[in-house]
């Protein structure tokens, strides 16, 4: 038996074993998620308290789209909660979603943060920003295009260009300027790197604090998380957050979002959960628990995030960014960005 066949059988067996633990039942909803359970548990507890609907959670760091596809029509999954437009679009391409038909979602979530066909919706938002050295960077404004300026040669730190957060930024640059100009820009950014791309977003702040680079690229929510971590507070204290913009545009944002599973056995409860996540209470909890921006207007931003300045989010629809993510991944390889 081939190794591929053996792995496929093992995956199928694993699915069969787990199915009885998430049986469809009245008053329940089955949530698959890439988010850490301890981070979203208070949110789900509040949903259960308010609605009486029990939430069964399956969390993983990867492979949930494939798992749902493998489970097929017998999948217990009702909702997939994930981060990044790339993973949301992966779920759609895997054929495991169905349209979310909800007037509540249509009113609460701006159109640029929803799939045109209704297959996903954002429930919270983060911005891709600059972690700049307080001591060595004097300017307080920057464009993404400027990251390719030779004045930053040897001064930029960033994680892998293939990571979903950077893939989305590069895809947005392609959508804005076309592939030729985006490639020129990416080559310029590569020429300005202080070191080989590595680590996560927090490590970029660490390296700025250590003097290895003057600016790093990271998501907004990591900064308050570092501020609240005694071992990382000095990294956060060493940087200032600059909200960059595209030339003639706004700040690049991405979302945490949800899809309604194609074969959701508890569809009505799944829609209730999705609608609840876009409601006032959940949006406030998102803002204060994980330091993300609410997608719904009129919800207060956490003071630690508000301190970064007024976010003028770019209006480019996330669906257009998603359509360029494959081109972005190919471009990273073509220019040898991670080498």
């Amino acid at each position: 038996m081939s190794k591929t066949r053996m792995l496929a059988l093992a995956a199928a067996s694993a699915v069969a074993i787990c199915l009885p633990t998430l049986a469809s039942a009245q008053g329940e909803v089955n949530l698959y998620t890439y988010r850490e359970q301890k981070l979203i548990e208070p949110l789900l507890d509040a949903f259960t308290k308010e609605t009486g609907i029990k939430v069964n959670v399956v969390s993983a760091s990867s492979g949930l789209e494939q798992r749902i596809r493998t489970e097929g029509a017998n999948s217990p999954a009702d909702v997939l909660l994930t981060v990044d437009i790339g993973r949301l679009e992966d779920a759609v391409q895997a054929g495991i979603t169905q349209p979310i038909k909800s007037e509540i979602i249509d009113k609460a979530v701006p159109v640029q943060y929803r799939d045109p066909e209704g297959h996903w919706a954002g429930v919270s938002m983060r911005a891709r920003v600059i972690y700049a050295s307080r001591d060595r960077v004097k300017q307080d404004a920057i464009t993404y295009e400027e990251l390719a300026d030779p004045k930053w040669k040897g001064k930029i730190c960033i994680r892998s260009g293939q990571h979903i957060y950077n893939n989305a930024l590069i895809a947005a640059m392609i959508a804005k300027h076309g592939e030729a100009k985006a490639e020129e820009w990416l080559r310029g950014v590569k020429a300005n790197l202080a070191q080989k791309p590595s680590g996560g977003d927090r490590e970029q702040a660490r390296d700025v604090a250590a003097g290895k680079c003057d600016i790093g690229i990271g998501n907004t929510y990591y900064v308050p998380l570092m501020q609240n971590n005694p071992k990382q507070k000095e990294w956060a204290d060493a940087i200032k957050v600059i909200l960059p913009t595209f030339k003639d545009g706004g700040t690049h944002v991405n979302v945490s979002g949800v899809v309604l599973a194609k074969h959701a056995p508890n569809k009505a409860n799944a829609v209730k959960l999705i609608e609840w996540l876009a409601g006032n209470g959940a949006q406030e909890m998102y803002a204060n628990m994980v330091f993300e921006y609410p997608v719904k207007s009129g919800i207060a931003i956490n003071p630690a995030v508000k301190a970064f300045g007024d976010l003028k989010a770019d209006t480019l629809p996330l669906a257009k960014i998603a359509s360029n993510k494959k081109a972005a991944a190919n471009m990273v390889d073509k220019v040898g960005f991670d080498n």
Side-chain angles (χ1 to χ4, degrees), residues 180-251:
K181 288 188 176 180
E183 182 179 328
E184 181 182 353
W185 169 80
L186 191 61
R187 290 185 184 278
V189 176
K190 175 178 169 58
N192 289 339
L193 297 181
Q195 57 191 14
K196 181 179 178 179
S198 64
D201 284 3
R202 299 187 205 215
E203 282 68 36
Q204 313 317 312
R206 177 199 65 191
D207 289 348
V208 170
K212 294 182 179 180
C213 43
D214 287 356
I215 61 175
I217 289 83
N219 283 347
T220 38
Y221 57 84
Y222 283 112
V223 179
L225 291 173
M226 288 187 289
Q227 289 170 339
N228 292 330
N229 185 326
K231 295 181 179 179
Q232 299 173 354
K233 188 176 185 302
E234 63 179 296
W235 306 347
D237 291 343
I239 64 172
K240 60 181 177 181
V241 172
I242 299 176
L243 299 176
T245 60
F246 290 105
K247 184 180 178 182
D248 301 323
T251 299

Side-chain angles (χ1 to χ4, degrees), residues 9-258:
L9 288 174
S13 297
V15 169
I17 291 170
C18 76
L19 285 177
T21 66
L22 287 178
S24 172
Q26 186 67 32
E28 295 187 353
V29 62
N30 301 323
L31 175 70
Y32 284 30
T33 182
Y34 286 118
R35 309 223 70 171
E36 290 184 46
Q37 189 166 345
K38 65 180 181 180
L39 289 179
I40 62 171
E41 199 167 64
L43 199 68
L44 302 179
D45 287 347
F47 169 75
T48 298
K49 183 176 181 180
E50 185 173 322
T51 65
I53 299 170
K54 179 184 177 183
V55 184
N56 302 311
V57 179
V58 171
S59 59
S61 59
S62 64
L64 289 176
E65 298 91 351
Q66 294 81 2
R67 173 172 172 170
I68 295 172
R69 185 170 59 183
T70 301
E71 291 169 344
N74 292 321
S75 176
D78 292 308
V79 176
L80 173 65
L81 171 63
T82 185
V83 295
D84 191 84
I85 179 58
R87 281 182 167 164
L88 291 168
E89 188 62 22
D90 285 344
V92 177
Q93 295 303 316
I96 62 169
T97 68
Q98 62 175 299
I100 304 166
K101 297 179 181 179
S102 167
E103 291 184 5
I104 292 175
I105 292 297
D106 291 347
K107 290 179 181 179
V109 182
V111 65
Q112 65 264 38
Y113 308 135
R114 287 186 272 120
D115 175 58
E117 304 299 325
H119 285 268
W120 54 261
V123 293
S124 65
M125 189 168 61
R126 70 282 300 278
R128 198 89 180 126
V129 299
I130 302 299
Y131 299 165
S133 169
R134 289 186 180 276
D135 297 332
R136 300 183 299 279
V137 177
K138 303 306 177 185
Q139 68 188 74
D140 294 317
I142 190 172
T143 64
Y144 293 107
E145 290 84 354
E146 187 186 334
L147 294 173
D149 190 314
K151 75 178 183 179
W152 296 113
K153 187 173 180 63
K155 296 182 178 180
I156 297 178
C157 287
I158 193 170
R159 73 195 301 168
S160 169
Q162 292 292 11
H163 190 275
I164 54 175
Y165 300 160
N166 287 331
N167 175 277
L169 175 59
I170 297 166
M173 190 64 70
I174 293 172
K176 289 279 186 181
H177 299 297
E179 289 195 35
K181 288 188 176 180
E183 182 179 328
E184 181 182 353
W185 169 80
L186 191 61
R187 290 185 184 278
V189 176
K190 175 178 169 58
N192 289 339
L193 297 181
Q195 57 191 14
K196 181 179 178 179
S198 64
D201 284 3
R202 299 187 205 215
E203 282 68 36
Q204 313 317 312
R206 177 199 65 191
D207 289 348
V208 170
K212 294 182 179 180
C213 43
D214 287 356
I215 61 175
I217 289 83
N219 283 347
T220 38
Y221 57 84
Y222 283 112
V223 179
L225 291 173
M226 288 187 289
Q227 289 170 339
N228 292 330
N229 185 326
K231 295 181 179 179
Q232 299 173 354
K233 188 176 185 302
E234 63 179 296
W235 306 347
D237 291 343
I239 64 172
K240 60 181 177 181
V241 172
I242 299 176
L243 299 176
T245 60
F246 290 105
K247 184 180 178 182
D248 301 323
T251 299
H252 170 67
V253 297
N254 210 320
V255 293
S256 295
V258 290

Side-chain angles (χ1 to χ4, degrees), residues 1-10 13:
M1 183 181 296
S2 69
K3 183 177 180 181
T4 301
R5 176 64 175 160
M6 290 175 66
L7 290 173
L9 288 174
S13 297

